[in-house]
């Protein structure tokens, strides 16, 4: 998941890590502000139009997945292969058989949906673990508002994701009769906002974590020491 950057191989330089984060941020900006689910939901009328759909949307999603998600992307690769396979057939038939273009568009929709699903799944799994860990930290002395903001935004993202899952039905991947892509896009945007909130406050969170860990160790050491002193007093009496 995206958190793998926190445990990067030590051989990677700071410059490389910074470059990755910059690339990740740029791709996020495209997903947040430029991805147009209404346009993607419209059936292409030509091969060129579908190519533009892919270049401006699917290709961006795949790049982002490769940077952020430590996951098997084979299902997406299979959809890409099928998409371009149908476009090849479309060209072979001298563009007389519109069914091949429609089939290619169906694989494009499936590719886009699968990419959003993978992102939402990975984000949800990682961020809920972060949230549960953070509830064990004492934020009172650092940033009380952060934990509430994190929890509220997670609930918003989760609700958007569940709404998309419940709205999806057989055929949603191949037809533009409903805009299921828009619902998954909304969920993905909420998770990205939550991820950004976490990384914006990561230094503060780690400071609180270390403080809590130090306090816990000190408490154990104090208990062990007081117990040892009590036992020693008892022996010497």
């Amino acid at each position: 998941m995206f958190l793998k950057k926190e445990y990067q191989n030590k051989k990677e330089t700071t410059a490389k890590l910074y470059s990755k984060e910059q690339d990740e941020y740029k791709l996020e900006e495209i997903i947040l502000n430029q991805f147009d689910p209404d346009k993607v939901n419209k059936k292409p009328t030509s091969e060129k139009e579908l190519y533009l759909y892919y270049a401006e949307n699917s290709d961006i999603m795949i790049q982002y997945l490769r940077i952020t998600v430590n996951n098997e992307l084979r299902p997406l690769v299979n959809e890409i292969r099928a998409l371009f396979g149908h476009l090849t057939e479309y060209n072979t038939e001298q563009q007389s058989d519109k069914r091949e273009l429609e089939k290619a568009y169906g694989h494009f929709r499936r590719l886009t949906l699968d990419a959003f699903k993978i992102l939402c799944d990975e984000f949800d799994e990682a961020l809920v673990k972060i949230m549960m860990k953070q509830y064990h930290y004492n934020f009172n002395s650092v940033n009380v508002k952060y934990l509430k903001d994190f929890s509220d935004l997670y609930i918003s993202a989760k609700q958007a994701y569940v709404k998309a899952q419940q709205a999806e039905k057989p055929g949603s991947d191949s037809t533009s009769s409903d805009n299921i892509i828009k619902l998954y896009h909304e969920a993905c945007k909420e998770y990205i906002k939550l991820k950004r909130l976490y990384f914006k406050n990561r230094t503060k969170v780690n400071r609180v974590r270390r403080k809590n860990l130090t306090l816990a160790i000190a408490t154990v050491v104090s208990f062990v020491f007081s117990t040892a002193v009590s036992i020693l007093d008892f022996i010497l009496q």
Side-chain angles (χ1 to χ4, degrees):
M1 184 48 210
F2 62 87
L3 293 180
K4 65 184 178 181
K5 65 161 58 73
E6 299 205 44
Y7 311 102
Q8 286 285 355
N9 189 313
K10 293 181 180 179
K11 293 181 180 179
E12 289 202 292
T13 64
T14 302
K16 285 184 178 180
L17 291 178
Y18 179 76
S19 177
K20 284 185 178 181
E21 289 189 358
Q22 290 296 302
D23 290 342
E24 185 175 329
Y25 184 85
K26 291 177 183 177
L27 294 171
E28 284 178 354
E29 284 297 300
I30 294 174
I31 295 173
L32 288 171
N33 303 313
Q34 296 182 33
F35 184 91
D36 187 350
D38 292 323
K39 181 180 178 181
V40 170
N41 200 51
K42 182 181 177 182
K43 286 186 178 181
T45 58
S46 66
E47 175 190 11
K48 180 180 178 180
E49 191 172 10
L50 184 53
Y51 271 124
L52 285 175
Y53 282 3
Y54 176 83
E56 295 174 356
N57 298 284
S58 299
D59 189 52
I60 300 300
M61 294 291 291
I62 292 169
Q63 289 183 52
Y64 186 67
L65 281 163
R66 291 188 186 282
I67 292 176
T68 59
V69 176
N70 185 19
N71 200 352
E72 177 60 65
L73 301 182
R74 186 172 300 172
L76 302 185
V77 175
N78 291 338
E79 293 297 334
I80 294 172
R81 186 183 298 114
L83 188 162
F84 286 102
H86 286 297
L87 286 179
T88 300
E89 290 294 325
Y90 181 62
N91 285 323
T92 302
E93 297 294 330
Q94 297 182 344
Q95 303 183 2
S96 60
D97 191 351
K98 292 292 184 180
R99 289 179 300 177
E100 293 299 330
L101 183 61
E102 291 176 359
K103 291 177 181 178
Y105 175 61
H107 286 291
F108 165 78
R109 286 180 60 84
R110 180 76 264 166
L111 168 64
T112 306
L113 282 173
D114 284 349
F116 277 131
K117 286 180 178 181
I118 291 174
L119 278 173
C120 288
D121 280 341
E122 294 287 331
F123 279 139
D124 188 79
E125 181 180 354
L127 291 167
V128 75
K129 288 180 180 178
I130 289 174
M131 184 174 65
M132 297 310 295
K133 286 182 179 180
Q134 290 175 157
Y135 272 116
H136 295 291
Y137 304 155
N138 179 13
F139 282 87
N140 292 331
S141 60
V142 181
N143 190 341
V144 179
K145 190 172 181 295
Y146 163 72
L147 188 57
K148 181 180 184 303
D149 289 344
F150 188 98
S151 302
D152 290 345
L153 193 51
Y154 173 76
I155 292 173
S156 176
K158 184 70 172 182
Q159 288 176 338
Y161 187 27
V162 171
K163 180 180 179 180
Q165 290 175 312
Q166 292 176 340
E168 188 175 3
K169 55 183 180 292
S172 291
D173 59 336
S174 59
T175 178
S176 57
S177 60
D178 55 18
N179 205 348
I180 192 69
I181 290 177
K182 186 173 185 176
L183 293 177
Y184 276 109
H185 178 233
E186 289 297 324
C188 188
K189 288 198 300 183
E190 292 299 302
Y191 280 118
I192 289 176
K193 293 175 185 176
L194 180 58
K195 168 183 171 287
R196 286 186 169 188
L197 175 66
Y198 169 71
F199 278 104
K200 180 181 178 180
N201 292 273
R202 182 173 47 175
T203 301
K204 294 179 181 179
V205 172
N206 287 336
R207 189 184 306 141
V208 175
R209 179 180 59 81
R210 288 193 295 269
K211 182 178 179 180
N212 278 257
L213 180 60
T214 301
L215 180 61
I217 293 174
T219 301
V220 172
V221 170
S222 176
F223 174 77
V224 171
F225 179 76
S226 60
T227 301
V229 170
S230 298
I231 293 174
L232 184 60
D233 286 343
F234 178 77
I235 294 175
L236 295 177
Q237 286 179 358

